Amino acid sequence: MSIQITLPSGSQVQNVEGSSMCGVRSYNSWKQFYIGGKRGHNTRPWPAQCRIYGCSNVATLGGHVFCVGENGVWIIPMCGTHNSSGNVNLMTVNANTIAVQVEEENTSGPSGPCYSSSSSSSSSSSSSSSSSSSSSSSSTA
Ligand SMILES: [Zn+2]
């Protein structure tokens, strides 16, 4: 179950150094991982253009990025120029860019550049208040 976020306008991302060693599992490519569609998952539309603001190149691959303000490693559609390993600049993405989080099960690569092991994905905090008072009502005999 991949987590996806929709980045608001003005969001910044940065290429993950060393992500070229991150193999993808279950899919043929990170582009296919982004699109999804396996195990009953819905598919995501692949955008025609690179999601970096102002770039009109074709989005050819799914690039590993850090998203400012978010934990974890994410995949967004990018062109080969912006996904270059030498490009470590902060890049602004287009509004409503969808980023898909890479989790340990999705990659054969190591923690750090390939996925974040410290991603606090404990969003399901079910606070079940089990304060069932088992105090038997005192029957006045
Ligand atoms: Zn680009």
Side-chain angles (χ1 to χ4, degrees), residues 23-103:
V24 63
R25 282 184 178 162
S26 302
Y27 294 97
N28 294 327
S29 66
W30 288 109
K31 176 180 177 178
Q32 283 300 321
F33 165 79
Y34 178 96
I35 294 170
K38 287 197 173 179
R39 293 181 297 187
H41 295 180
N42 292 327
T43 57
R44 299 176 188 86
W46 183 259
Q49 293 180 328
C50 176
R51 297 308 303 170
I52 303 304
Y53 182 77
C55 182
S56 58
N57 292 339
V58 174
T60 52
L61 39 79
H64 287 70
V65 296
F66 296 121
C67 297
V68 173
E70 300 286 343
N71 291 321
V73 177
W74 303 81
I75 299 293
I76 65 170
M78 290 201 288
C79 68
T81 300
H82 278 117
N83 193 43
S84 150
S85 59
N87 175 16
V88 293
N89 297 322
L90 280 174
M91 301 175 288
T92 303
V93 299
N94 289 317
N96 300 320
T97 292
I98 294 173
V100 183
Q101 188 173 39
V102 181
E103 295 170 282

Side-chain angles (χ1 to χ4, degrees), residues 81-132:
T81 300
H82 278 117
N83 193 43
S84 150
S85 59
N87 175 16
V88 293
N89 297 322
L90 280 174
M91 301 175 288
T92 303
V93 299
N94 289 317
N96 300 320
T97 292
I98 294 173
V100 183
Q101 188 173 39
V102 181
E103 295 170 282
E104 182 173 6
E105 65 181 26
N106 304 130
T107 181
S108 58
S111 171
C114 301
Y115 68 94
S116 174
S117 59
S118 61
S119 62
S120 59
S121 61
S122 60
S123 58
S124 62
S125 60
S126 60
S127 60
S128 60
S129 60
S130 60
S131 61
S132 59

Side-chain angles (χ1 to χ4, degrees), residues 136-141:
S136 59
S137 59
S138 60
S139 58
T140 54

